[in-house]
Amino acid sequence: MTLTPDPLVTDDYSEVFLRFGIQPQKSIYPYAPVFRGVIGGQAVAVKRTCSAEAMGRWLRYLASVGLPVVTPLAGPHRIGRHDWVAYPWIDGRTYDGSSPDIHAAGDLLGRLHAAGDGEASTGLPGFQWPDHHGESVEDDVAGLDKVLKTYRPDLHREVLGRFAPRLRSFMATTLPAVRDAGLPVADVTLDFKAVNLVYAEAGPVLIDPDNGERAPRLLDLALAVLLFHNDLPDRPAKLFDGMEWAVFRDAYLGHVRLTVRERELWPTALLYMLLEWGVWAVVNGGEVGDWDDPRQAAFLADLLTMDVRRYRL
């Protein structure tokens, strides 16, 4: 999901620096305050964390079963209205878009879902199903209309013609089809994308799990398919193509056995996340300058025009 730059990154964080014993500095991330430092000789990243206690339990559990994730080194400390945590700084490289990197990412997501699908949860918050009203739906339609007219008038008629009726019928059709299906849930990241992975020698490490919730694993998989290449500073400027998806999918399915119902609802799950998260990314991109970035604009255009049949299970 594309993030809106956070005005709070320019606020006074003197208490954060003092509590963690790190040097005063500017945030290294434009969308939320993240600070580098050293604690006990260990390089760290200090950041705000939602549901910090449950997040810590989840991450420590994942690490205990051999999953490559960051775990808290210090905190949580309650400072103002937020909990702050120091995580280890992971050295490595960024995702390169190659088949081995795609396979490694799919493998990691499958292992995360397999580790988090037990009945006993670590206490992550439960997934919140949306409750849109007519006005909010029309806001989405209007936002999409504005973005398309401004940045891609060549796509305006085609895309709005497909999306407007789907957005208006979301609460009556798409939502209940997924919500009421009794889909298997797991502790999931709900933000599994390339910019949240660092590729170390042994493979990718999940470095930003802070959107974690107890949610249908099928939605987490759908979100990864749609937004895995979102917010990258370099190419690829598109979603997975069919061959790349096959590499990711097969690696994922090496660890997870989807139910018959999950497979049946897979196209609906993709549509659900496209309408909920994808449209938000597209509309918000018009507000934060994403459409002025050629790479991000190309990605968002592919998101709007992709056919869910590209991603067969």
Side-chain angles (χ1 to χ4, degrees), residues 3 15 24 32 61 72 77 136 167 174 184 190 211 225 237 262 288 303:
L3 300 174
E15 188 175 350
Y61 165 71
H77 297 310
S136 69
L167 287 166
T174 309
L190 279 180
N211 285 335
V225 171
E262 284 178 305
V288 301
L303 183 65

Side-chain angles (χ1 to χ4, degrees), residues 43 70 88-92 198 200 205 207:
V70 293
W89 183 267
I90 304 299
D91 289 319
V198 171
V205 179
I207 61 168

Side-chain angles (χ1 to χ4, degrees), residues 66-70 90-96 99-112 192-208 228 248:
L67 273 292
V69 298
V70 293
I90 304 299
D91 289 319
R93 63 172 178 83
T94 58
Y95 167 81
D96 65 13
S99 287
D101 273 13
I102 293 170
H103 182 277
D107 181 81
L108 177 55
L109 184 62
R111 293 167 64 196
L112 288 168
F192 191 84
K193 57 187 181 181
V195 294
N196 291 335
L197 301 175
V198 171
Y199 282 75
E201 277 191 32
V205 179
L206 181 66
I207 61 168
D208 189 5
F228 191 75
F248 187 94

Side-chain angles (χ1 to χ4, degrees), residues 41-109:
Q42 169 77 57
V44 300
V46 175
K47 57 185 294 189
R48 295 187 309 216
T49 298
C50 297
S51 306
E53 294 289 351
M55 183 64 62
R57 286 193 297 272
W58 179 48
L59 293 173
R60 291 187 181 98
Y61 165 71
L62 292 176
S64 75
V65 296
L67 273 292
V69 298
V70 293
T71 55
L73 288 176
H77 297 310
R78 188 73 174 183
I79 300 173
R81 297 180 293 108
H82 301 285
D83 289 323
W84 291 79
V85 177
Y87 296 96
W89 183 267
I90 304 299
D91 289 319
R93 63 172 178 83
T94 58
Y95 167 81
D96 65 13
S98 67
S99 287
D101 273 13
I102 293 170
H103 182 277
D107 181 81
L108 177 55
L109 184 62

Side-chain angles (χ1 to χ4, degrees), residues 265-280:
L265 280 175
W266 173 238
T268 307
L270 282 170
L271 178 61
Y272 179 104
M273 295 312 275
L274 179 63
L275 296 176
E276 272 294 279
W277 292 60
V279 168
W280 188 92

Side-chain angles (χ1 to χ4, degrees), residues 188-234:
V188 300
T189 71
L190 279 180
D191 200 19
F192 191 84
K193 57 187 181 181
V195 294
N196 291 335
L197 301 175
V198 171
Y199 282 75
E201 277 191 32
V205 179
L206 181 66
I207 61 168
D208 189 5
D210 288 350
N211 285 335
E213 293 183 359
R214 187 79 172 163
R217 64 188 183 185
L218 196 67
L219 292 184
D220 196 45
L221 178 61
L223 185 63
V225 171
L226 297 175
L227 296 186
F228 191 75
H229 289 161
N230 192 33
D231 291 330
L232 286 174
D234 204 348

